[in-house]
Coordinates of all heavy atoms in Angstrom, one line a residue:
F92 N 44.4 98.7 71.0 CA 45.2 99.4 70.1 C 44.7 99.1 68.6 O 44.2 98.1 68.4 CB 46.7 98.9 70.2 CG 47.2 99.0 71.6 CD1 47.4 97.9 72.4 CD2 47.4 100.3 72.2 CE1 47.8 98.0 73.7 CE2 47.9 100.3 73.5 CZ 48.1 99.2 74.3
G93 N 44.9 100.1 67.8 CA 44.4 100.0 66.4 C 45.5 100.2 65.4 O 46.4 100.9 65.6
Q94 N 45.3 99.5 64.2 CA 46.2 99.7 63.1 C 45.6 99.1 61.8 O 44.8 98.1 61.9 CB 47.6 99.0 63.3 CG 48.6 99.1 62.2 CD 49.9 98.4 62.5 OE1 50.2 98.2 63.7 NE2 50.6 98.0 61.5
D95 N 45.8 99.7 60.7 CA 45.3 99.2 59.4 C 46.4 98.4 58.7 O 47.6 98.7 58.8 CB 44.9 100.3 58.4 CG 43.6 101.0 58.9 OD1 43.0 100.6 59.9 OD2 43.2 101.9 58.2
D96 N 46.1 97.3 58.0 CA 47.1 96.5 57.3 C 47.1 97.0 55.9 O 46.4 97.9 55.5 CB 46.8 95.0 57.4 CG 45.5 94.6 56.8 OD1 45.0 95.3 55.9 OD2 45.1 93.4 57.1
H97 N 48.0 96.4 55.0 CA 48.2 96.8 53.7 C 46.9 96.6 52.8 O 46.8 97.2 51.8 CB 49.3 96.0 53.1 CG 50.7 96.4 53.6 ND1 51.8 95.7 53.4 CD2 51.0 97.5 54.4 CE1 52.8 96.3 54.0 NE2 52.4 97.4 54.6
E98 N 46.0 95.7 53.2 CA 44.8 95.5 52.5 C 43.6 96.4 52.9 O 42.5 96.3 52.4 CB 44.4 94.0 52.6 CG 45.4 93.0 52.1 CD 45.5 93.1 50.6 OE1 44.5 93.0 49.9 OE2 46.7 93.2 50.1
G99 N 43.9 97.2 53.9 CA 42.9 98.1 54.4 C 42.1 97.5 55.5 O 41.1 98.2 56.0
R100 N 42.4 96.4 56.0 CA 41.7 95.8 57.2 C 42.0 96.6 58.4 O 43.1 97.1 58.7 CB 42.1 94.4 57.4 CG 41.8 93.4 56.3 CD 42.2 92.0 56.7 NE 42.1 91.1 55.5 CZ 43.1 90.9 54.6 NH1 44.2 91.5 54.8 NH2 42.9 90.1 53.6
E101 N 41.0 96.8 59.2 CA 41.1 97.6 60.5 C 41.3 96.7 61.7 O 40.3 96.1 62.1 CB 39.9 98.5 60.6 CG 39.7 99.5 59.4 CD 38.3 100.0 59.3 OE1 37.4 99.6 60.1 OE2 38.0 100.7 58.3
W102 N 42.5 96.7 62.2 CA 42.8 95.8 63.3 C 42.6 96.5 64.6 O 42.9 97.7 64.8 CB 44.2 95.3 63.2 CG 44.5 94.4 62.1 CD1 44.4 94.6 60.7 CD2 45.1 93.0 62.2 NE1 44.8 93.6 60.0 CE2 45.3 92.6 60.8 CE3 45.5 92.2 63.2 CZ2 45.8 91.3 60.6 CZ3 46.0 91.0 63.0 CH2 46.1 90.5 61.6
E103 N 42.2 95.7 65.6 CA 42.1 96.2 67.0 C 42.6 95.0 67.9 O 42.2 93.9 67.7 CB 40.7 96.6 67.4 CG 40.1 97.7 66.6 CD 40.6 99.1 66.9 OE1 41.3 99.2 67.9 OE2 40.4 100.0 66.0
L104 N 43.4 95.4 68.9 CA 44.0 94.3 69.8 C 44.0 94.7 71.2 O 44.3 95.9 71.6 CB 45.4 94.0 69.3 CG 46.1 92.9 70.2 CD1 47.0 92.0 69.3 CD2 47.1 93.6 71.2
A105 N 43.6 93.8 72.1 CA 43.7 93.9 73.5 C 44.5 92.7 74.1 O 44.4 91.6 73.6 CB 42.3 94.0 74.2
H106 N 45.3 93.0 75.1 CA 46.2 91.9 75.6 C 46.2 92.0 77.2 O 46.3 93.1 77.7 CB 47.6 92.1 75.1 CG 48.6 91.2 75.7 ND1 49.8 91.7 76.2 CD2 48.6 89.9 76.0 CE1 50.5 90.7 76.7 NE2 49.8 89.6 76.6
N107 N 46.0 90.9 77.8 CA 46.3 90.8 79.2 C 47.5 89.9 79.4 O 47.5 88.7 78.9 CB 45.1 90.2 80.0 CG 44.1 91.2 80.4 OD1 44.3 92.4 80.2 ND2 42.9 90.8 80.8
G108 N 48.5 90.4 80.0 CA 49.7 89.5 80.2 C 51.0 90.4 80.2 O 50.9 91.6 80.2
T109 N 52.1 89.7 80.0 CA 53.4 90.4 80.0 C 54.3 89.7 79.0 O 54.4 88.5 78.9 CB 54.1 90.4 81.4 OG1 53.2 91.0 82.3 CG2 55.4 91.2 81.3
M110 N 55.0 90.5 78.2 CA 56.0 90.0 77.3 C 57.4 90.0 78.0 O 58.1 90.9 77.9 CB 56.1 90.9 76.0 CG 54.8 90.8 75.2 SD 54.6 89.2 74.4 CE 55.9 89.2 73.2
F111 N 57.7 88.9 78.7 CA 58.9 88.7 79.4 C 60.1 88.5 78.4 O 61.2 88.9 78.7 CB 58.9 87.5 80.3 CG 57.9 87.7 81.4 CD1 56.6 87.0 81.4 CD2 58.1 88.5 82.5 CE1 55.7 87.2 82.4 CE2 57.2 88.7 83.5 CZ 56.0 88.0 83.5
E112 N 59.8 87.9 77.2 CA 60.8 87.7 76.2 C 60.3 88.4 74.9 O 59.8 87.7 74.0 CB 60.9 86.1 76.0 CG 61.4 85.3 77.2 CD 62.8 85.5 77.5 OE1 63.6 86.1 76.6 OE2 63.3 85.1 78.5
P113 N 60.6 89.7 74.8 CA 60.0 90.5 73.7 C 60.9 90.5 72.4 O 60.8 91.5 71.6 CB 59.9 91.8 74.3 CG 61.0 92.0 75.2 CD 61.3 90.6 75.8
R114 N 61.8 89.6 72.2 CA 62.7 89.7 71.1 C 62.0 89.8 69.8 O 62.5 90.6 68.9 CB 63.7 88.5 71.1 CG 64.8 88.6 72.2 CD 65.6 87.4 72.3 NE 64.8 86.3 72.8 CZ 65.3 85.1 73.1 NH1 66.6 84.8 72.8 NH2 64.6 84.1 73.7
A115 N 61.0 89.1 69.6 CA 60.3 89.1 68.3 C 59.5 90.4 68.1 O 59.3 90.9 67.0 CB 59.4 87.9 68.2
T116 N 59.0 91.0 69.2 CA 58.1 92.2 69.1 C 58.9 93.5 69.3 O 58.4 94.6 68.9 CB 57.0 92.1 70.1 OG1 57.5 91.9 71.4 CG2 56.0 90.9 69.7
K117 N 60.1 93.4 69.9 CA 60.9 94.6 70.2 C 61.2 95.4 68.9 O 61.2 96.7 69.0 CB 62.1 94.2 70.9 CG 62.7 95.4 71.7 CD 63.8 94.9 72.7 CE 64.2 96.0 73.6 NZ 65.2 95.5 74.6
P118 N 61.4 94.8 67.7 CA 61.6 95.6 66.6 C 60.4 96.5 66.2 O 60.6 97.5 65.4 CB 61.9 94.6 65.5 CG 62.4 93.4 66.2 CD 61.7 93.4 67.5
F119 N 59.3 96.3 66.8 CA 58.1 97.1 66.5 C 57.8 98.2 67.5 O 56.8 98.9 67.4 CB 56.9 96.2 66.3 CG 57.0 95.1 65.2 CD1 57.6 93.9 65.5 CD2 56.6 95.4 63.9 CE1 57.7 92.9 64.5 CE2 56.7 94.5 62.9 CZ 57.3 93.3 63.2
Y120 N 58.7 98.3 68.5 CA 58.5 99.3 69.5 C 58.4 100.7 68.9 O 57.6 101.6 69.4 CB 59.6 99.3 70.5 CG 59.5 98.2 71.6 CD1 58.6 97.2 71.5 CD2 60.3 98.3 72.7 CE1 58.5 96.2 72.5 CE2 60.2 97.3 73.7 CZ 59.3 96.3 73.6 OH 59.2 95.3 74.6
A121 N 59.1 101.0 67.8 CA 59.1 102.3 67.2 C 57.7 102.7 66.7 O 57.5 103.9 66.5 CB 60.2 102.5 66.2
Q122 N 56.9 101.7 66.4 CA 55.6 102.0 65.8 C 54.5 102.2 66.9 O 53.4 102.6 66.6 CB 55.1 100.8 65.0 CG 56.0 100.5 63.8 CD 55.5 99.4 62.9 OE1 54.3 99.2 62.8 NE2 56.4 98.6 62.4
R123 N 54.9 102.1 68.2 CA 54.0 102.4 69.3 C 53.7 103.8 69.5 O 54.5 104.7 69.3 CB 54.5 101.8 70.6 CG 54.8 100.3 70.5 CD 55.4 99.8 71.9 NE 56.6 100.5 72.2 CZ 57.3 100.4 73.3 NH1 56.8 99.6 74.3 NH2 58.4 101.1 73.5
E124 N 52.5 104.1 69.9 CA 52.2 105.5 70.4 C 52.5 105.6 71.9 O 52.8 106.6 72.4 CB 50.7 105.8 70.1 CG 50.4 105.9 68.7 CD 48.9 106.4 68.4 OE1 48.2 106.5 69.4 OE2 48.6 106.5 67.3
G125 N 52.3 104.5 72.6 CA 52.5 104.5 74.1 C 53.8 103.7 74.4 O 54.8 103.6 73.6
T126 N 53.8 103.2 75.6 CA 55.0 102.5 76.1 C 54.8 101.1 76.6 O 55.7 100.5 77.3 CB 55.6 103.3 77.3 OG1 54.6 103.5 78.3 CG2 56.1 104.7 76.8
T127 N 53.7 100.5 76.3 CA 53.4 99.1 76.7 C 54.1 98.1 75.8 O 54.3 98.3 74.6 CB 51.9 98.8 76.8 OG1 51.4 98.8 75.4 CG2 51.2 99.9 77.6
D128 N 54.4 96.9 76.4 CA 54.9 95.8 75.6 C 53.7 95.2 74.8 O 54.0 94.7 73.7 CB 55.5 94.8 76.5 CG 54.6 94.3 77.6 OD1 53.5 94.8 77.8 OD2 55.0 93.4 78.4
S129 N 52.5 95.4 75.3 CA 51.4 94.8 74.5 C 51.2 95.4 73.2 O 50.8 94.8 72.2 CB 50.1 95.0 75.4 OG 50.2 94.4 76.6
E130 N 51.4 96.8 73.1 CA 51.1 97.4 71.8 C 51.9 96.9 70.7 O 51.4 96.9 69.5 CB 51.3 99.0 72.0 CG 50.8 99.8 70.8 CD 50.9 101.3 71.0 OE1 51.4 101.7 72.1 OE2 50.6 102.0 70.1
A131 N 53.1 96.5 70.9 CA 54.0 96.0 69.9 C 53.6 94.7 69.3 O 54.0 94.3 68.2 CB 55.4 95.9 70.4
I132 N 52.7 94.0 70.0 CA 52.2 92.7 69.5 C 51.3 93.0 68.2 O 51.4 92.2 67.3 CB 51.3 92.0 70.5 CG1 52.2 91.6 71.7 CG2 50.7 90.7 69.9 CD1 51.4 91.1 72.9
L133 N 50.6 94.1 68.2 CA 49.7 94.4 67.0 C 50.5 94.5 65.7 O 50.2 93.8 64.8 CB 48.9 95.6 67.3 CG 47.9 96.0 66.2 CD1 47.0 94.9 65.8 CD2 47.1 97.2 66.6
P134 N 51.5 95.4 65.6 CA 52.2 95.5 64.3 C 52.9 94.2 64.0 O 53.1 93.9 62.8 CB 53.1 96.7 64.5 CG 53.3 96.9 66.0 CD 51.9 96.4 66.5
Y135 N 53.4 93.4 65.0 CA 54.0 92.1 64.7 C 53.0 91.2 64.0 O 53.4 90.5 63.0 CB 54.4 91.6 66.1 CG 54.8 90.1 66.0 CD1 56.1 89.7 65.5 CD2 54.0 89.1 66.5 CE1 56.4 88.4 65.5 CE2 54.3 87.8 66.5 CZ 55.5 87.4 66.0 OH 55.9 86.1 66.0

Side-chain angles (χ1 to χ4, degrees):
F92 306 107
Q94 181 179 337
D95 291 357
D96 66 17
H97 289 168
E98 300 292 308
R100 297 182 189 87
E101 299 159 1
W102 291 60
E103 302 285 345
L104 177 141
H106 172 230
N107 276 352
T109 301
M110 294 293 293
F111 295 103
E112 299 285 350
R114 282 172 290 183
T116 56
K117 203 165 187 177
F119 299 91
Y120 278 14
Q122 298 185 35
R123 302 177 300 175
E124 294 183 358
T126 57
T127 69
D128 53 0
S129 299
E130 187 177 359
I132 299 172
L133 178 56
Y135 167 78

